[in-house]
Amino acid sequence: MCGIAGLIHRHGKTGDIGTEMTAMLQSLKHRGPDSTGYALYGKPLKGNELMLRFKVAEQDEMLKGFKIHDQVKERRNEVDKRIKELGGRILETTDATEYAFRYRIDYAGDRRKLADFIEDVEGAEILSMGHGLELVKDLGDAARVAEQYHLKGFTGTHALGHTRMATESDVDIRSAHPYWAYPFADVSVVHNGQLTNYWNGRRALERRGHRFMSNCDSELIAVYLADKMQQGAELKDAMTDSIDELDGVFTYLVATSDSLGMAKDVMAAKPMVLYESEKFICLASEEVAIRSVFPHEIDTFDPYEGEVRVWKSA
């Protein structure tokens, strides 16, 4: 029942993707009121600079009194210490909330080693780490999350979004979508459906050295695609392979540093509506989300079963 959405400005153009995606996700609130998530792609950082989004507590933990606030400070200080210990430099910090933070860092080392070292801190979880990707997710609807994280005016080229109705896992940030393809930079996925070969696929990727932060099949799709691309596959080829190799009923959107992709399984049971123009691509579980960002009449259509599409931002 969850809602998914994606958009991309083409030919190197940018827009207020924070506001655009918020409008789309708020229109899909009825499909998932428990949590809302964004994967936002801003101007890519250069060289060894990385944008790091992480949390050191859950939203509901902050209601437990002064003790947790002291623990949050201690955990954040420990994260700072570990970044520096591995040779990283913290260039800029922003307190997104009391428990979630946005860091711009300079780090030339192994991203997996850094991610593992940070997440060994009690309560710490990296939401995203990359050159352009910033992943934001929390409890509540899009309006609440956008206001909480100050997403209005976030300028970028493309974005993914997700509204979640919890069915099989907890209502917390860890279980919210989108998912980052740990430890690969700038790969994120939102997904509607269910994979029936999740555990077989996960074990195969774990044998290849990959680690999972959740039991969510959306994360499996993200890591599966990133692994394929690490082996040399183009995004569209990796997505085409997924239609045959991932079992179940699903529609998913994937984003990389410069691309937005869509795939539907051969059953095509999970909805997806698409608007495509020369300058702008917009996709969502329902047409109402697309029309939330267009004041004029537009033509939309439903992609075919087994269809894979990829659009570039430049």
Side-chain angles (χ1 to χ4, degrees):
M1 183 59 183
C2 300
I4 62 175
L7 61 88
I8 186 167
H9 293 266
R10 308 178 78 178
H11 308 303
K13 302 296 184 181
T14 60
D16 183 357
I17 59 174
T19 298
E20 291 166 346
M21 184 52 65
T22 296
M24 295 182 72
L25 295 178
Q26 194 66 14
S27 298
L28 297 173
K29 175 182 176 179
H30 58 283
R31 298 185 67 91
D34 295 323
S35 62
T36 304
Y38 298 73
L40 302 168
Y41 289 80
K43 183 179 179 180
L45 300 175
K46 297 180 179 180
N48 295 322
E49 289 191 13
L50 296 170
M51 191 62 74
L52 175 66
R53 288 267 189 175
F54 69 98
K55 69 175 183 68
V56 293
E58 289 284 343
Q59 185 183 115
D60 60 352
E61 285 185 84
M62 304 307 295
L63 304 176
K64 296 179 180 179
F66 292 109
K67 184 177 181 180
I68 184 62
H69 289 268
D70 291 338
Q71 290 174 340
V72 163
K73 291 179 182 178
E74 292 171 2
R75 293 170 184 176
R76 183 181 183 181
N77 288 338
E78 182 62 24
V79 169
D80 292 355
K81 176 183 173 183
R82 293 186 178 211
I83 292 172
K84 295 171 184 176
E85 190 173 326
L86 290 183
R89 292 189 301 126
I90 300 173
L91 306 176
E92 179 185 356
T93 68
T94 303
D95 294 5
T97 67
E98 295 177 289
Y99 47 87
F101 309 100
R102 177 184 188 262
Y103 279 21
R104 182 170 61 90
I105 66 173
D106 184 271
Y107 179 70
D110 185 287
R111 285 194 300 269
R112 185 190 298 272
K113 184 176 181 180
L114 177 62
D116 290 346
F117 200 34
I118 290 175
E119 290 188 336
D120 196 40
V121 175
E122 181 182 359
E125 179 186 353
I126 294 177
L127 303 179
S128 62
M129 180 166 57
H131 300 290
L133 168 63
E134 296 193 43
L135 203 153
V136 173
K137 52 186 179 179
D138 214 319
L139 309 187
D141 64 19
R144 177 181 177 180
V145 174
E147 181 178 6
Q148 186 179 16
Y149 286 83
H150 311 291
L151 299 184
K152 182 179 181 180
F154 190 107
T155 301
T157 52
H158 54 301
L160 301 179
H162 187 277
T163 62
R164 179 173 182 256
M165 178 179 289
T167 54
E168 297 179 358
S169 54
D170 295 335
V171 179
D172 56 20
I173 299 174
R174 179 179 294 271
S175 303
H177 305 206
Y179 279 97
W180 165 53
Y182 163 96
F184 304 98
D186 301 313
V187 179
S188 63
V189 163
V190 292
H191 156 247
N192 187 16
Q194 185 174 25
L195 301 184
T196 56
N197 63 339
Y198 168 80
W199 286 107
N200 287 339
R202 173 169 170 166
R203 282 191 286 267
L205 287 166
E206 286 175 334
R207 286 194 294 269
R208 290 180 52 79
H210 298 298
R211 187 181 78 161
F212 287 79
M213 295 302 300
S214 72
N215 292 327
C216 179
D217 42 10
S218 297
E219 185 181 19
L220 174 68
I221 297 172
V223 177
Y224 168 92
L225 294 172
D227 179 72
K228 287 275 190 179
M229 289 187 286
Q230 187 184 41
Q231 296 179 62
E234 294 294 326
L235 175 60
K236 188 171 184 178
D237 294 333
M239 294 173 67
T240 301
D241 288 345
S242 77
I243 300 298
D244 295 325
E245 296 180 8
L246 300 178
D247 292 335
V249 178
F250 58 85
T251 296
Y252 71 80
L253 303 176
V254 56
T256 65
S257 61
D258 64 354
S259 301
L260 173 69
M262 178 229 70
K264 294 185 76 171
D265 75 283
V266 294
M267 298 287 289
K270 295 298 179 180
M272 178 58 60
V273 182
L274 169 63
Y275 167 74
E276 183 174 14
S277 73
E278 182 64 24
K279 297 180 179 180
F280 191 68
I281 305 295
C282 202
L283 309 94
S285 300
E286 296 182 21
E287 186 170 327
V288 63
I290 297 176
R291 295 194 178 276
S292 71
V293 296
F294 287 98
H296 53 274
E297 188 64 27
I298 56 172
D299 293 323
T300 63
F301 62 95
D302 298 343
Y304 296 112
E305 61 275 6
E307 188 168 1
V308 171
R309 286 177 172 241
V310 174
W311 300 271
K312 292 277 191 180
S313 59

